[in-house]
Amino acid sequence: MANLKILVGCKRVIDYAVKVRVNSTKLAVETAGVKHSLNPFDEIAVEEAIRLREKLGNNVVKEIVALSCGPPKSQEQLRTALAMGVDRAIHVEVGKDDSEATRTLQPLAVAKLFKAIIEKEQANLIILGKQAIDDDASQTGQMLAGLLNWPQATFASKIEISGDKITTTREIDGGLETISSKLPAIVTSDLRLNEPRFVTLPNIMKAKKKPLEKFTPDQLKVDVAPRLENISVTDPPVRKGGTKVDSVDDLISKLKSAGALE
Amino acid sequence: ISSLLLVEHKNKAIASSTFNALTAASKLGGNVIALVAGEDPDPIVSEVSKLQGVSKVLIAKDKVYEHGIAEVYAPLLASTQKQLKFTHLVAPHSAFGKNIMPRVAALLDVAQISDVIGIESPDTFIRPIYAGNAIAKVKSKDPIKVLTVRGTAFPPATISDQTGASSEAAPESEKPALTEWIGEDLQKSDRPELGAATKVVSGGRALKSRENFDKLINNLADSIGAAIGGSRAAVDAGYCDNALQVGQTGKVVAPEFYLAVGISGAIQHVAGMKDSKVIAAINSDPDAPIFQVSDYGLVADLFTVVPELTEKLKKKELN
């Protein structure tokens, strides 16, 4: 069995239950004073790394490292990953909290930062969320795999490691697909991969003592300048809902005249 | 301006999302050249060559291209781009396109613009963020634009009567053997697939059990030929399969008709369905937030009205 050093991605995003609001600049959504969390798909990635160690043992999974690229407060999400069971964390600080530089950090730049850290750390299994629920890009894992010329197992709902081989069940349109690759490899997690554990208070306390290393993009010699310029961010068109119907018959006739039942 | 359209196909048929992506590519202005790759691409090539807006078809014939493996598709697109100098590379925002295009963008050292729902100009695009709770307009500073296109945002391209566009072999490229395709397990359901369905019936926590969900929601969906979805609450409670979850962390759908049954309408869920054309909801709570986004709301006990609705819709089908 190969020795595994797993690196997991941890993005700080606005919590999924928060109703986002476009801010007064009309260039971004309001982030100040808004609850943030670890991106749900990244939480699944962290969980999967920990489960792999529980399954394969410490002799195989030598170390699990969490990496976040973002503002100073991203350390809160790294602490969450540490409390879940990750060994140590790396933070590539980009921009100040709620700053323009943070908002314009884009997947290609993040993939390049990840590549630099992976080369430094000699990690051989990288697990990332399939997408972040803020920009919904779903790009970083695939870009990283392209930059490294490594295999990619995206939208994974099940992974199995045996020797230096990783077999992945992927969610595709209309069903599932199974692929097999050789490590080192990139995995991106889909919703069905697992259900993340809750962090316990003792583990939160323990996480505070775990090591957290800091870098800047300059130290890693990565240009993080945005390639896409945000022209505007606006509210979506408002639906005029709220019409009530009285009965099933009323509903059917309304739906018929709206052409919904054709 | 010239665009390369990556054609998605499966089991000798062009994936419907390709027709929508072609409309988006045509909207950019300039020529659209389609790329068809596969073990036996010829039947697809002749279909693609008849599509309105396709000026030429490039063919990459090799069994390594049969299953959409990104590790071989990405170098194929990148070397085709380097040789023929397209300004835009376009694919559907499907599992296939999402898997391949970011890898292509990385090989070309350019950004990718995901899930495009509008084209303002050849370098400015509209795309949803925060699961559609905000709409971003972005301008690409890169010389090459790599786009994935949301199918429901563009009408499908039509098939022309004219003789097909010419075709030729795509440039050769590397085929690194990084990933092997083992097999697939496609749902053999008579119901349409959730992501591509024109009608969706979804159930929520108010169904109270998996048995109720299976009985009431499945029958209702089948009465109008709809796909089945569920809220996160219904999935968490085990009433329906995880793969059916509609919402920010599940599937984002935009069918012609969406019917929410026993779903309160948490932000999480609404983000995944509010772009549907017609929305109806059945809920016993008159203040449920789902009614705010519904065109037609019926305040009633679902256990009474769902069987009635199912029966009446079934009869309608017969008439």
Side-chain angles (χ1 to χ4, degrees):
Chain A
M1 189 56 109
N3 284 335
L4 290 180
K5 181 162 180 179
I6 307 177
L7 185 87
V8 289
C10 294
K11 187 176 186 183
R12 174 183 173 82
V13 298
I14 293 179
D15 188 85
Y16 77 89
V18 170
K19 178 146 178 58
V20 296
R21 293 191 195 287
V22 175
N23 74 13
S24 54
T25 66
K26 301 285 177 207
L27 284 168
V29 303
E30 190 57 62
T31 54
V34 169
K35 186 188 177 194
H36 283 67
S37 298
L38 178 56
N39 176 41
F41 292 105
D42 295 346
E43 207 179 344
I44 294 170
V46 171
E47 177 68 31
E48 194 63 17
I50 297 162
R51 287 190 191 192
L52 279 174
R53 175 155 61 191
E54 287 167 353
K55 194 173 145 195
L56 302 171
N58 288 318
N59 291 333
V60 175
V61 179
K62 297 288 184 194
E63 198 178 29
I64 304 171
V65 182
L67 169 59
S68 189
C69 304
K73 278 186 182 162
S74 304
Q75 292 189 13
E76 293 172 7
Q77 280 64 49
L78 286 171
R79 292 292 172 199
T80 302
L82 291 167
M84 286 174 75
V86 166
D87 301 314
R88 61 187 175 89
I90 298 173
H91 178 210
V92 180
E93 193 175 301
V94 184
K96 297 192 170 66
D97 291 321
D98 310 310
S99 69
E100 181 68 13
T102 292
R103 280 195 287 270
T104 55
L105 181 61
Q106 290 164 0
L108 184 61
V110 175
K112 288 177 179 177
L113 293 171
F114 266 75
K115 178 173 182 267
I117 295 291
I118 289 162
E119 283 166 354
K120 221 181 226 321
E121 291 283 334
Q122 294 291 303
N124 57 359
L125 176 61
I126 319 302
I127 315 180
L128 309 172
K130 74 159 181 179
Q131 76 185 70
I133 62 162
D134 49 7
D135 63 13
D136 288 330
S138 189
Q139 298 173 1
T140 304
Q142 298 90 310
M143 285 181 157
L144 177 58
L147 293 176
L148 290 164
N149 196 27
W150 285 9
Q152 65 183 56
T154 53
F155 323 137
S157 62
K158 190 181 167 196
I159 60 175
E160 262 177 86
I161 291 173
S162 149
D164 63 350
K165 221 173 81 174
I166 174 164
T167 307
T168 309
T169 306
R170 304 179 58 231
E171 303 218 356
I172 56 169
D173 297 326
L176 300 170
E177 167 183 274
T178 308
I179 56 169
S180 168
S181 314
K182 249 187 170 177
L183 295 174
I186 312 285
V187 173
T188 75
S189 61
D190 216 317
L191 201 60
R192 282 202 280 182
L193 187 58
N194 60 52
E195 277 176 38
R197 68 197 61 198
F198 290 104
V199 293
T200 60
L201 191 59
N203 284 342
I204 292 171
M205 301 312 288
K206 257 191 259 168
K208 288 183 180 163
K209 298 197 187 88
K210 287 185 180 176
L212 191 154
E213 205 179 345
K214 257 174 75 171
F215 291 97
T216 64
D218 282 348
Q219 285 171 330
L220 300 170
K221 300 188 172 54
V222 174
D223 175 11
V224 294
R227 305 294 189 85
L228 302 177
E229 185 192 343
N230 250 352
I231 305 290
S232 68
V233 172
T234 51
D235 288 316
V238 183
R239 280 194 84 93
K240 281 194 224 97
T243 306
K244 296 270 169 65
V245 295
D246 302 327
S247 65
V248 167
D249 290 332
D250 192 11
L251 178 63
I252 292 176
S253 77
K254 290 260 172 35
L255 290 176
K256 262 185 99 176
S257 42
L261 293 176
E262 280 152 27
Chain B
I1 293 165
S2 69
S3 305
L4 181 69
L5 171 74
L6 176 60
V7 174
E8 177 177 2
H9 60 95
K10 190 159 212 151
N11 301 329
K12 311 238 179 291
I14 303 169
S16 64
S17 52
T18 301
F19 300 107
N20 310 98
L22 170 55
T23 301
S26 300
K27 228 184 147 187
L28 293 163
N31 282 343
V32 179
I33 293 176
L35 173 64
V36 180
E39 186 170 12
D40 175 24
D42 298 345
I44 300 293
V45 170
S46 71
E47 290 294 306
V48 170
S49 67
K50 284 182 219 148
L51 291 175
Q52 198 92 53
V54 171
S55 61
K56 193 194 278 179
V57 187
L58 299 175
I59 312 167
K61 186 172 177 166
D62 194 310
K63 66 176 190 310
V64 299
Y65 299 125
E66 189 54 18
H67 297 292
I69 297 287
E71 290 86 331
V72 289
Y73 268 82
L76 172 63
L77 274 108
S79 53
T80 304
Q81 154 60 33
K82 278 177 186 151
Q83 200 159 323
L84 300 171
K85 310 282 179 214
F86 296 99
T87 52
H88 296 75
L89 307 182
V90 183
H93 190 68
S94 56
F96 170 83
K98 283 195 277 190
N99 189 38
I100 294 169
M101 297 312 266
R103 191 166 178 126
V104 176
L107 296 183
L108 298 171
D109 193 31
V110 298
Q112 193 221 310
I113 302 111
S114 294
D115 206 8
V116 171
I117 58 168
I119 294 168
E120 286 265 309
S121 71
D123 66 1
T124 305
F125 309 96
I126 316 277
R127 59 179 305 268
I129 54 175
Y130 294 93
N133 285 309
I135 304 296
K137 189 192 287 186
V138 294
K139 184 176 175 179
S140 168
K141 300 177 192 171
D142 286 318
I144 309 160
K145 282 81 176 164
V146 178
L147 316 176
T148 56
V149 173
R150 180 179 288 204
T152 51
F154 297 89
T158 50
I159 298 163
S160 72
D161 311 325
Q162 294 155 11
T163 1
S166 65
S167 60
E168 62 186 63
E172 274 297 313
S173 71
E174 283 178 67
K175 295 157 191 156
L178 293 172
T179 291
E180 188 192 350
W181 187 83
I182 307 286
E184 66 189 2
D185 180 13
L186 298 181
Q187 281 163 8
K188 282 176 200 71
S189 163
D190 294 336
R191 296 193 185 98
E193 199 245 316
L194 181 58
T198 55
K199 298 188 189 97
V200 174
V201 174
S202 286
R205 187 154 47 190
L207 281 142
K208 290 187 182 143
S209 75
R210 187 168 190 117
E211 292 69 39
N212 290 336
F213 193 102
D214 284 349
K215 198 172 66 190
L216 296 170
I217 299 300
N218 293 12
N219 285 341
L220 178 54
D222 290 345
S223 74
I224 53 168
I228 294 172
S231 68
R232 185 184 172 123
V235 170
D236 284 350
Y239 301 168
C240 69
D241 218 36
N242 222 332
L244 301 184
Q245 187 185 319
V246 172
Q248 187 171 25
T249 52
K251 282 210 165 62
V252 176
V253 299
E256 296 286 312
F257 175 46
Y258 189 92
L259 175 56
V261 178
I263 292 176
S264 64
I267 298 158
Q268 210 296 123
H269 183 76
V270 170
M273 47 65 84
K274 69 179 173 50
D275 292 328
S276 308
K277 204 166 167 203
V278 176
I279 298 174
I282 297 171
N283 203 298
S284 57
D285 175 8
D287 299 322
I290 192 73
F291 290 127
Q292 289 163 23
V293 296
S294 304
D295 300 298
Y296 309 108
L298 178 59
V299 181
D301 175 24
L302 72 92
F303 293 99
T304 321
V305 295
V306 168
E308 183 190 345
L309 179 60
T310 306
E311 279 314 306
K312 286 182 173 161
L313 288 172
K314 263 189 200 159
K315 274 185 199 142
K316 204 142 268 147
E317 290 293 299
L318 291 173
N319 292 340

